[in-house]
Amino acid sequence: MLYKASYQSPLGEMSLLSDETYLLGLWFNEQKYFGSAYDLNLAQKDESLPITEAIEWLNQYFRGENPNSQKIKLKPEVTEFRKRVLKILSDIPYGTLITYKEISNLLQINDEKKRNMSQAVGGAVGHNPISIIIPCHRVVGSDGSLTGYAGGLDKKRALLALEQNSLIK
């Protein structure tokens, strides 16, 4: 069974999706790739334990705290490559930034021949089904500039400002 709920963030309404055990999705309602491959109409409008925990996490986050995302059981339904990218995103410390190129390099850390996978990384970051908790907003261009964000650059800028990141260009 799938469950869905709404959350009114300071940046706009968000939708959450879970099963009984895992948070499956968290999106700004107007963002690109909203709902991923899920038919949200099939989900029951109700709060599950993962949704309740995610809402508490979001409340803490938007109060300017640094809540522990490891306490929420996440299960993004994505390809193996995208899972690897999302794992790297999950390890980005609060208030810090990483570039697409740095993620590309981390993915190939044990590869003898390295290639620039920044575009593929960008696709994976852009299709992140669990916004904010898996912090795709912390990824920037090689020159430190803000680049695409499925929720919109205004939201990316606001999320980084909330984390008091002074590295934004």
Side-chain angles (χ1 to χ4, degrees), residues 108-133:
Q108 303 175 80
I109 203 149
N110 295 318
D111 295 356
E112 201 170 295
K113 186 176 180 183
K114 309 244 188 285
R115 59 195 202 289
N116 186 344
M117 298 171 50
S118 296
Q119 245 183 333
V121 167
V125 171
H127 285 83
N128 172 16
I130 306 176
S131 290
I132 305 176
I133 296 174

mmCIF file with all atom_site columns, all heavy atoms in Angstrom, residues 108-133:
data_model
loop_
_atom_site.group_PDB
_atom_site.id
_atom_site.type_symbol
_atom_site.label_atom_id
_atom_site.label_alt_id
_atom_site.label_comp_id
_atom_site.label_asym_id
_atom_site.label_entity_id
_atom_site.label_seq_id
_atom_site.pdbx_PDB_ins_code
_atom_site.Cartn_x
_atom_site.Cartn_y
_atom_site.Cartn_z
_atom_site.occupancy
_atom_site.B_iso_or_equiv
_atom_site.pdbx_formal_charge
_atom_site.auth_seq_id
_atom_site.auth_comp_id
_atom_site.auth_asym_id
_atom_site.auth_atom_id
_atom_site.pdbx_PDB_model_num
ATOM 1   N N   . GLN A 1 108 ? 34.131 7.126  -9.984  1.00 0.00 ? 108 GLN A N   1
ATOM 2   C CA  . GLN A 1 108 ? 35.171 6.402  -10.716 1.00 0.00 ? 108 GLN A CA  1
ATOM 3   C C   . GLN A 1 108 ? 36.461 6.262  -9.923  1.00 0.00 ? 108 GLN A C   1
ATOM 4   O O   . GLN A 1 108 ? 37.517 6.022  -10.493 1.00 0.00 ? 108 GLN A O   1
ATOM 5   C CB  . GLN A 1 108 ? 35.468 7.149  -12.024 1.00 0.00 ? 108 GLN A CB  1
ATOM 6   C CG  . GLN A 1 108 ? 34.250 7.332  -12.906 1.00 0.00 ? 108 GLN A CG  1
ATOM 7   C CD  . GLN A 1 108 ? 34.574 8.178  -14.105 1.00 0.00 ? 108 GLN A CD  1
ATOM 8   O OE1 . GLN A 1 108 ? 35.139 7.686  -15.062 1.00 0.00 ? 108 GLN A OE1 1
ATOM 9   N NE2 . GLN A 1 108 ? 34.237 9.463  -14.033 1.00 0.00 ? 108 GLN A NE2 1
ATOM 10  N N   . ILE A 1 109 ? 36.359 6.366  -8.628  1.00 0.00 ? 109 ILE A N   1
ATOM 11  C CA  . ILE A 1 109 ? 37.552 6.420  -7.785  1.00 0.00 ? 109 ILE A CA  1
ATOM 12  C C   . ILE A 1 109 ? 38.478 5.209  -7.986  1.00 0.00 ? 109 ILE A C   1
ATOM 13  O O   . ILE A 1 109 ? 39.682 5.340  -7.912  1.00 0.00 ? 109 ILE A O   1
ATOM 14  C CB  . ILE A 1 109 ? 37.162 6.612  -6.297  1.00 0.00 ? 109 ILE A CB  1
ATOM 15  C CG1 . ILE A 1 109 ? 38.314 7.224  -5.549  1.00 0.00 ? 109 ILE A CG1 1
ATOM 16  C CG2 . ILE A 1 109 ? 36.684 5.330  -5.668  1.00 0.00 ? 109 ILE A CG2 1
ATOM 17  C CD1 . ILE A 1 109 ? 37.899 8.097  -4.412  1.00 0.00 ? 109 ILE A CD1 1
ATOM 18  N N   . ASN A 1 110 ? 37.932 4.052  -8.281  1.00 0.00 ? 110 ASN A N   1
ATOM 19  C CA  . ASN A 1 110 ? 38.752 2.854  -8.472  1.00 0.00 ? 110 ASN A CA  1
ATOM 20  C C   . ASN A 1 110 ? 38.936 2.487  -9.938  1.00 0.00 ? 110 ASN A C   1
ATOM 21  O O   . ASN A 1 110 ? 39.525 1.452  -10.242 1.00 0.00 ? 110 ASN A O   1
ATOM 22  C CB  . ASN A 1 110 ? 38.144 1.669  -7.721  1.00 0.00 ? 110 ASN A CB  1
ATOM 23  C CG  . ASN A 1 110 ? 38.165 1.885  -6.218  1.00 0.00 ? 110 ASN A CG  1
ATOM 24  O OD1 . ASN A 1 110 ? 39.143 2.372  -5.676  1.00 0.00 ? 110 ASN A OD1 1
ATOM 25  N ND2 . ASN A 1 110 ? 37.082 1.543  -5.554  1.00 0.00 ? 110 ASN A ND2 1
ATOM 26  N N   . ASP A 1 111 ? 38.436 3.330  -10.836 1.00 0.00 ? 111 ASP A N   1
ATOM 27  C CA  . ASP A 1 111 ? 38.567 3.049  -12.268 1.00 0.00 ? 111 ASP A CA  1
ATOM 28  C C   . ASP A 1 111 ? 39.926 3.505  -12.777 1.00 0.00 ? 111 ASP A C   1
ATOM 29  O O   . ASP A 1 111 ? 40.407 4.580  -12.420 1.00 0.00 ? 111 ASP A O   1
ATOM 30  C CB  . ASP A 1 111 ? 37.462 3.758  -13.065 1.00 0.00 ? 111 ASP A CB  1
ATOM 31  C CG  . ASP A 1 111 ? 36.074 3.240  -12.733 1.00 0.00 ? 111 ASP A CG  1
ATOM 32  O OD1 . ASP A 1 111 ? 35.968 2.274  -11.948 1.00 0.00 ? 111 ASP A OD1 1
ATOM 33  O OD2 . ASP A 1 111 ? 35.099 3.805  -13.257 1.00 0.00 ? 111 ASP A OD2 1
ATOM 34  N N   . GLU A 1 112 ? 40.525 2.680  -13.611 1.00 0.00 ? 112 GLU A N   1
ATOM 35  C CA  . GLU A 1 112 ? 41.822 3.028  -14.182 1.00 0.00 ? 112 GLU A CA  1
ATOM 36  C C   . GLU A 1 112 ? 41.695 4.173  -15.180 1.00 0.00 ? 112 GLU A C   1
ATOM 37  O O   . GLU A 1 112 ? 42.469 5.117  -15.170 1.00 0.00 ? 112 GLU A O   1
ATOM 38  C CB  . GLU A 1 112 ? 42.409 1.795  -14.866 1.00 0.00 ? 112 GLU A CB  1
ATOM 39  C CG  . GLU A 1 112 ? 43.903 1.857  -15.042 1.00 0.00 ? 112 GLU A CG  1
ATOM 40  C CD  . GLU A 1 112 ? 44.459 0.528  -15.488 1.00 0.00 ? 112 GLU A CD  1
ATOM 41  O OE1 . GLU A 1 112 ? 44.382 -0.442 -14.716 1.00 0.00 ? 112 GLU A OE1 1
ATOM 42  O OE2 . GLU A 1 112 ? 44.948 0.475  -16.635 1.00 0.00 ? 112 GLU A OE2 1
ATOM 43  N N   . LYS A 1 113 ? 40.691 4.073  -16.038 1.00 0.00 ? 113 LYS A N   1
ATOM 44  C CA  . LYS A 1 113 ? 40.466 5.102  -17.047 1.00 0.00 ? 113 LYS A CA  1
ATOM 45  C C   . LYS A 1 113 ? 39.254 5.943  -16.638 1.00 0.00 ? 113 LYS A C   1
ATOM 46  O O   . LYS A 1 113 ? 38.146 5.445  -16.548 1.00 0.00 ? 113 LYS A O   1
ATOM 47  C CB  . LYS A 1 113 ? 40.233 4.458  -18.412 1.00 0.00 ? 113 LYS A CB  1
ATOM 48  C CG  . LYS A 1 113 ? 40.147 5.461  -19.531 1.00 0.00 ? 113 LYS A CG  1
ATOM 49  C CD  . LYS A 1 113 ? 40.021 4.783  -20.876 1.00 0.00 ? 113 LYS A CD  1
ATOM 50  C CE  . LYS A 1 113 ? 39.927 5.844  -21.963 1.00 0.00 ? 113 LYS A CE  1
ATOM 51  N NZ  . LYS A 1 113 ? 39.724 5.212  -23.269 1.00 0.00 ? 113 LYS A NZ  1
ATOM 52  N N   . LYS A 1 114 ? 39.500 7.207  -16.381 1.00 0.00 ? 114 LYS A N   1
ATOM 53  C CA  . LYS A 1 114 ? 38.430 8.109  -15.949 1.00 0.00 ? 114 LYS A CA  1
ATOM 54  C C   . LYS A 1 114 ? 37.833 8.842  -17.153 1.00 0.00 ? 114 LYS A C   1
ATOM 55  O O   . LYS A 1 114 ? 38.519 9.143  -18.113 1.00 0.00 ? 114 LYS A O   1
ATOM 56  C CB  . LYS A 1 114 ? 38.975 9.132  -14.959 1.00 0.00 ? 114 LYS A CB  1
ATOM 57  C CG  . LYS A 1 114 ? 39.762 8.521  -13.817 1.00 0.00 ? 114 LYS A CG  1
ATOM 58  C CD  . LYS A 1 114 ? 39.127 8.748  -12.511 1.00 0.00 ? 114 LYS A CD  1
ATOM 59  C CE  . LYS A 1 114 ? 39.958 8.332  -11.331 1.00 0.00 ? 114 LYS A CE  1
ATOM 60  N NZ  . LYS A 1 114 ? 40.047 6.933  -11.098 1.00 0.00 ? 114 LYS A NZ  1
ATOM 61  N N   . ARG A 1 115 ? 36.544 9.121  -17.065 1.00 0.00 ? 115 ARG A N   1
ATOM 62  C CA  . ARG A 1 115 ? 35.888 9.919  -18.092 1.00 0.00 ? 115 ARG A CA  1
ATOM 63  C C   . ARG A 1 115 ? 34.968 10.922 -17.392 1.00 0.00 ? 115 ARG A C   1
ATOM 64  O O   . ARG A 1 115 ? 34.607 10.730 -16.238 1.00 0.00 ? 115 ARG A O   1
ATOM 65  C CB  . ARG A 1 115 ? 35.134 9.047  -19.084 1.00 0.00 ? 115 ARG A CB  1
ATOM 66  C CG  . ARG A 1 115 ? 34.066 8.170  -18.506 1.00 0.00 ? 115 ARG A CG  1
ATOM 67  C CD  . ARG A 1 115 ? 33.665 7.100  -19.541 1.00 0.00 ? 115 ARG A CD  1
ATOM 68  N NE  . ARG A 1 115 ? 32.363 6.530  -19.338 1.00 0.00 ? 115 ARG A NE  1
ATOM 69  C CZ  . ARG A 1 115 ? 32.005 5.708  -18.378 1.00 0.00 ? 115 ARG A CZ  1
ATOM 70  N NH1 . ARG A 1 115 ? 32.845 5.378  -17.452 1.00 0.00 ? 115 ARG A NH1 1
ATOM 71  N NH2 . ARG A 1 115 ? 30.797 5.210  -18.310 1.00 0.00 ? 115 ARG A NH2 1
ATOM 72  N N   . ASN A 1 116 ? 34.599 11.952 -18.108 1.00 0.00 ? 116 ASN A N   1
ATOM 73  C CA  . ASN A 1 116 ? 33.726 12.968 -17.534 1.00 0.00 ? 116 ASN A CA  1
ATOM 74  C C   . ASN A 1 116 ? 32.281 12.467 -17.624 1.00 0.00 ? 116 ASN A C   1
ATOM 75  O O   . ASN A 1 116 ? 31.724 12.371 -18.697 1.00 0.00 ? 116 ASN A O   1
ATOM 76  C CB  . ASN A 1 116 ? 33.894 14.296 -18.271 1.00 0.00 ? 116 ASN A CB  1
ATOM 77  C CG  . ASN A 1 116 ? 33.115 15.402 -17.599 1.00 0.00 ? 116 ASN A CG  1
ATOM 78  O OD1 . ASN A 1 116 ? 32.232 15.158 -16.775 1.00 0.00 ? 116 ASN A OD1 1
ATOM 79  N ND2 . ASN A 1 116 ? 33.443 16.626 -17.943 1.00 0.00 ? 116 ASN A ND2 1
ATOM 80  N N   . MET A 1 117 ? 31.702 12.159 -16.488 1.00 0.00 ? 117 MET A N   1
ATOM 81  C CA  . MET A 1 117 ? 30.331 11.665 -16.411 1.00 0.00 ? 117 MET A CA  1
ATOM 82  C C   . MET A 1 117 ? 29.391 12.732 -15.857 1.00 0.00 ? 117 MET A C   1
ATOM 83  O O   . MET A 1 117 ? 28.307 12.432 -15.380 1.00 0.00 ? 117 MET A O   1
ATOM 84  C CB  . MET A 1 117 ? 30.290 10.418 -15.516 1.00 0.00 ? 117 MET A CB  1
ATOM 85  C CG  . MET A 1 117 ? 31.124 9.273  -16.048 1.00 0.00 ? 117 MET A CG  1
ATOM 86  S SD  . MET A 1 117 ? 31.311 7.884  -14.879 1.00 0.00 ? 117 MET A SD  1
ATOM 87  C CE  . MET A 1 117 ? 29.658 7.563  -14.373 1.00 0.00 ? 117 MET A CE  1
ATOM 88  N N   . SER A 1 118 ? 29.811 13.990 -15.931 1.00 0.00 ? 118 SER A N   1
ATOM 89  C CA  . SER A 1 118 ? 29.043 15.075 -15.318 1.00 0.00 ? 118 SER A CA  1
ATOM 90  C C   . SER A 1 118 ? 27.619 15.158 -15.847 1.00 0.00 ? 118 SER A C   1
ATOM 91  O O   . SER A 1 118 ? 26.688 15.437 -15.080 1.00 0.00 ? 118 SER A O   1
ATOM 92  C CB  . SER A 1 118 ? 29.753 16.413 -15.522 1.00 0.00 ? 118 SER A CB  1
ATOM 93  O OG  . SER A 1 118 ? 30.994 16.397 -14.860 1.00 0.00 ? 118 SER A OG  1
ATOM 94  N N   . GLN A 1 119 ? 27.422 14.926 -17.142 1.00 0.00 ? 119 GLN A N   1
ATOM 95  C CA  . GLN A 1 119 ? 26.068 14.996 -17.696 1.00 0.00 ? 119 GLN A CA  1
ATOM 96  C C   . GLN A 1 119 ? 25.189 13.892 -17.129 1.00 0.00 ? 119 GLN A C   1
ATOM 97  O O   . GLN A 1 119 ? 24.034 14.134 -16.761 1.00 0.00 ? 119 GLN A O   1
ATOM 98  C CB  . GLN A 1 119 ? 26.100 14.891 -19.221 1.00 0.00 ? 119 GLN A CB  1
ATOM 99  C CG  . GLN A 1 119 ? 25.634 16.144 -19.878 1.00 0.00 ? 119 GLN A CG  1
ATOM 100 C CD  . GLN A 1 119 ? 25.593 16.008 -21.390 1.00 0.00 ? 119 GLN A CD  1
ATOM 101 O OE1 . GLN A 1 119 ? 26.317 15.228 -21.998 1.00 0.00 ? 119 GLN A OE1 1
ATOM 102 N NE2 . GLN A 1 119 ? 24.743 16.795 -21.996 1.00 0.00 ? 119 GLN A NE2 1
ATOM 103 N N   . ALA A 1 120 ? 25.706 12.681 -17.053 1.00 0.00 ? 120 ALA A N   1
ATOM 104 C CA  . ALA A 1 120 ? 24.942 11.566 -16.479 1.00 0.00 ? 120 ALA A CA  1
ATOM 105 C C   . ALA A 1 120 ? 24.657 11.831 -15.006 1.00 0.00 ? 120 ALA A C   1
ATOM 106 O O   . ALA A 1 120 ? 23.559 11.552 -14.511 1.00 0.00 ? 120 ALA A O   1
ATOM 107 C CB  . ALA A 1 120 ? 25.703 10.256 -16.653 1.00 0.00 ? 120 ALA A CB  1
ATOM 108 N N   . VAL A 1 121 ? 25.641 12.387 -14.314 1.00 0.00 ? 121 VAL A N   1
ATOM 109 C CA  . VAL A 1 121 ? 25.449 12.747 -12.903 1.00 0.00 ? 121 VAL A CA  1
ATOM 110 C C   . VAL A 1 121 ? 24.345 13.797 -12.797 1.00 0.00 ? 121 VAL A C   1
ATOM 111 O O   . VAL A 1 121 ? 23.466 13.701 -11.932 1.00 0.00 ? 121 VAL A O   1
ATOM 112 C CB  . VAL A 1 121 ? 26.770 13.260 -12.285 1.00 0.00 ? 121 VAL A CB  1
ATOM 113 C CG1 . VAL A 1 121 ? 26.519 13.921 -10.930 1.00 0.00 ? 121 VAL A CG1 1
ATOM 114 C CG2 . VAL A 1 121 ? 27.771 12.131 -12.158 1.00 0.00 ? 121 VAL A CG2 1
ATOM 115 N N   . GLY A 1 122 ? 24.358 14.780 -13.694 1.00 0.00 ? 122 GLY A N   1
ATOM 116 C CA  . GLY A 1 122 ? 23.322 15.819 -13.693 1.00 0.00 ? 122 GLY A CA  1
ATOM 117 C C   . GLY A 1 122 ? 21.936 15.230 -13.864 1.00 0.00 ? 122 GLY A C   1
ATOM 118 O O   . GLY A 1 122 ? 20.983 15.650 -13.209 1.00 0.00 ? 122 GLY A O   1
ATOM 119 N N   . GLY A 1 123 ? 21.808 14.241 -14.745 1.00 0.00 ? 123 GLY A N   1
ATOM 120 C CA  . GLY A 1 123 ? 20.519 13.569 -14.928 1.00 0.00 ? 123 GLY A CA  1
ATOM 121 C C   . GLY A 1 123 ? 20.069 12.858 -13.673 1.00 0.00 ? 123 GLY A C   1
ATOM 122 O O   . GLY A 1 123 ? 18.901 12.922 -13.288 1.00 0.00 ? 123 GLY A O   1
ATOM 123 N N   . ALA A 1 124 ? 21.008 12.197 -13.024 1.00 0.00 ? 124 ALA A N   1
ATOM 124 C CA  . ALA A 1 124 ? 20.675 11.481 -11.784 1.00 0.00 ? 124 ALA A CA  1
ATOM 125 C C   . ALA A 1 124 ? 20.279 12.455 -10.679 1.00 0.00 ? 124 ALA A C   1
ATOM 126 O O   . ALA A 1 124 ? 19.302 12.238 -9.959  1.00 0.00 ? 124 ALA A O   1
ATOM 127 C CB  . ALA A 1 124 ? 21.867 10.626 -11.341 1.00 0.00 ? 124 ALA A CB  1
ATOM 128 N N   . VAL A 1 125 ? 21.029 13.540 -10.561 1.00 0.00 ? 125 VAL A N   1
ATOM 129 C CA  . VAL A 1 125 ? 20.726 14.553 -9.540  1.00 0.00 ? 125 VAL A CA  1
ATOM 130 C C   . VAL A 1 125 ? 19.361 15.175 -9.811  1.00 0.00 ? 125 VAL A C   1
ATOM 131 O O   . VAL A 1 125 ? 18.537 15.328 -8.905  1.00 0.00 ? 125 VAL A O   1
ATOM 132 C CB  . VAL A 1 125 ? 21.835 15.630 -9.499  1.00 0.00 ? 125 VAL A CB  1
ATOM 133 C CG1 . VAL A 1 125 ? 21.434 16.805 -8.612  1.00 0.00 ? 125 VAL A CG1 1
ATOM 134 C CG2 . VAL A 1 125 ? 23.152 15.024 -9.023  1.00 0.00 ? 125 VAL A CG2 1
ATOM 135 N N   . GLY A 1 126 ? 19.088 15.504 -11.067 1.00 0.00 ? 126 GLY A N   1
ATOM 136 C CA  . GLY A 1 126 ? 17.833 16.141 -11.436 1.00 0.00 ? 126 GLY A CA  1
ATOM 137 C C   . GLY A 1 126 ? 16.611 15.265 -11.214 1.00 0.00 ? 126 GLY A C   1
ATOM 138 O O   . GLY A 1 126 ? 15.517 15.760 -10.985 1.00 0.00 ? 126 GLY A O   1
ATOM 139 N N   . HIS A 1 127 ? 16.804 13.954 -11.278 1.00 0.00 ? 127 HIS A N   1
ATOM 140 C CA  . HIS A 1 127 ? 15.691 13.015 -11.093 1.00 0.00 ? 127 HIS A CA  1
ATOM 141 C C   . HIS A 1 127 ? 15.628 12.451 -9.669  1.00 0.00 ? 127 HIS A C   1
ATOM 142 O O   . HIS A 1 127 ? 14.943 11.465 -9.428  1.00 0.00 ? 127 HIS A O   1
ATOM 143 C CB  . HIS A 1 127 ? 15.799 11.869 -12.096 1.00 0.00 ? 127 HIS A CB  1
ATOM 144 C CG  . HIS A 1 127 ? 15.407 12.263 -13.483 1.00 0.00 ? 127 HIS A CG  1
ATOM 145 N ND1 . HIS A 1 127 ? 16.278 12.881 -14.347 1.00 0.00 ? 127 HIS A ND1 1
ATOM 146 C CD2 . HIS A 1 127 ? 14.237 12.141 -14.139 1.00 0.00 ? 127 HIS A CD2 1
ATOM 147 C CE1 . HIS A 1 127 ? 15.666 13.107 -15.495 1.00 0.00 ? 127 HIS A CE1 1
ATOM 148 N NE2 . HIS A 1 127 ? 14.419 12.680 -15.395 1.00 0.00 ? 127 HIS A NE2 1
ATOM 149 N N   . ASN A 1 128 ? 16.326 13.076 -8.744  1.00 0.00 ? 128 ASN A N   1
ATOM 150 C CA  . ASN A 1 128 ? 16.286 12.648 -7.348  1.00 0.00 ? 128 ASN A CA  1
ATOM 151 C C   . ASN A 1 128 ? 14.829 12.665 -6.861  1.00 0.00 ? 128 ASN A C   1
ATOM 152 O O   . ASN A 1 128 ? 14.209 13.718 -6.837  1.00 0.00 ? 128 ASN A O   1
ATOM 153 C CB  . ASN A 1 128 ? 17.136 13.603 -6.496  1.00 0.00 ? 128 ASN A CB  1
ATOM 154 C CG  . ASN A 1 128 ? 17.006 13.359 -5.008  1.00 0.00 ? 128 ASN A CG  1
ATOM 155 O OD1 . ASN A 1 128 ? 16.530 12.319 -4.569  1.00 0.00 ? 128 ASN A OD1 1
ATOM 156 N ND2 . ASN A 1 128 ? 17.444 14.330 -4.227  1.00 0.00 ? 128 ASN A ND2 1
ATOM 157 N N   . PRO A 1 129 ? 14.287 11.501 -6.457  1.00 0.00 ? 129 PRO A N   1
ATOM 158 C CA  . PRO A 1 129 ? 12.885 11.480 -6.048  1.00 0.00 ? 129 PRO A CA  1
ATOM 159 C C   . PRO A 1 129 ? 12.640 11.904 -4.595  1.00 0.00 ? 129 PRO A C   1
ATOM 160 O O   . PRO A 1 129 ? 11.494 11.988 -4.170  1.00 0.00 ? 129 PRO A O   1
ATOM 161 C CB  . PRO A 1 129 ? 12.483 10.019 -6.258  1.00 0.00 ? 129 PRO A CB  1
ATOM 162 C CG  . PRO A 1 129 ? 13.748 9.265  -6.014  1.00 0.00 ? 129 PRO A CG  1
ATOM 163 C CD  . PRO A 1 129 ? 14.849 10.155 -6.529  1.00 0.00 ? 129 PRO A CD  1
ATOM 164 N N   . ILE A 1 130 ? 13.708 12.160 -3.839  1.00 0.00 ? 130 ILE A N   1
ATOM 165 C CA  . ILE A 1 130 ? 13.527 12.515 -2.427  1.00 0.00 ? 130 ILE A CA  1
ATOM 166 C C   . ILE A 1 130 ? 14.274 13.818 -2.152  1.00 0.00 ? 130 ILE A C   1
ATOM 167 O O   . ILE A 1 130 ? 15.360 13.844 -1.574  1.00 0.00 ? 130 ILE A O   1
ATOM 168 C CB  . ILE A 1 130 ? 13.981 11.367 -1.491  1.00 0.00 ? 130 ILE A CB  1
ATOM 169 C CG1 . ILE A 1 130 ? 13.262 10.069 -1.869  1.00 0.00 ? 130 ILE A CG1 1
ATOM 170 C CG2 . ILE A 1 130 ? 13.722 11.741 -0.026  1.00 0.00 ? 130 ILE A CG2 1
ATOM 171 C CD1 . ILE A 1 130 ? 13.689 8.837  -1.079  1.00 0.00 ? 130 ILE A CD1 1
ATOM 172 N N   . SER A 1 131 ? 13.663 14.917 -2.592  1.00 0.00 ? 131 SER A N   1
ATOM 173 C CA  . SER A 1 131 ? 14.278 16.240 -2.459  1.00 0.00 ? 131 SER A CA  1
ATOM 174 C C   . SER A 1 131 ? 14.588 16.583 -1.004  1.00 0.00 ? 131 SER A C   1
ATOM 175 O O   . SER A 1 131 ? 13.936 16.100 -0.090  1.00 0.00 ? 131 SER A O   1
ATOM 176 C CB  . SER A 1 131 ? 13.328 17.317 -3.010  1.00 0.00 ? 131 SER A CB  1
ATOM 177 O OG  . SER A 1 131 ? 13.224 17.218 -4.383  1.00 0.00 ? 131 SER A OG  1
ATOM 178 N N   . ILE A 1 132 ? 15.559 17.420 -0.843  1.00 0.00 ? 132 ILE A N   1
ATOM 179 C CA  . ILE A 1 132 ? 16.009 18.012 0.415   1.00 0.00 ? 132 ILE A CA  1
ATOM 180 C C   . ILE A 1 132 ? 16.631 16.966 1.339   1.00 0.00 ? 132 ILE A C   1
ATOM 181 O O   . ILE A 1 132 ? 17.766 17.125 1.769   1.00 0.00 ? 132 ILE A O   1
ATOM 182 C CB  . ILE A 1 132 ? 14.910 18.813 1.150   1.00 0.00 ? 132 ILE A CB  1
ATOM 183 C CG1 . ILE A 1 132 ? 14.328 19.876 0.218   1.00 0.00 ? 132 ILE A CG1 1
ATOM 184 C CG2 . ILE A 1 132 ? 15.472 19.477 2.408   1.00 0.00 ? 132 ILE A CG2 1
ATOM 185 C CD1 . ILE A 1 132 ? 13.183 20.658 0.817   1.00 0.00 ? 132 ILE A CD1 1
ATOM 186 N N   . ILE A 1 133 ? 15.913 15.892 1.665   1.00 0.00 ? 133 ILE A N   1
ATOM 187 C CA  . ILE A 1 133 ? 16.477 14.870 2.558   1.00 0.00 ? 133 ILE A CA  1
ATOM 188 C C   . ILE A 1 133 ? 17.681 14.214 1.889   1.00 0.00 ? 133 ILE A C   1
ATOM 189 O O   . ILE A 1 133 ? 18.695 13.973 2.533   1.00 0.00 ? 133 ILE A O   1
ATOM 190 C CB  . ILE A 1 133 ? 15.404 13.836 2.967   1.00 0.00 ? 133 ILE A CB  1
ATOM 191 C CG1 . ILE A 1 133 ? 14.306 14.532 3.792   1.00 0.00 ? 133 ILE A CG1 1
ATOM 192 C CG2 . ILE A 1 133 ? 16.026 12.690 3.762   1.00 0.00 ? 133 ILE A CG2 1
ATOM 193 C CD1 . ILE A 1 133 ? 13.114 13.651 4.130   1.00 0.00 ? 133 ILE A CD1 1
#
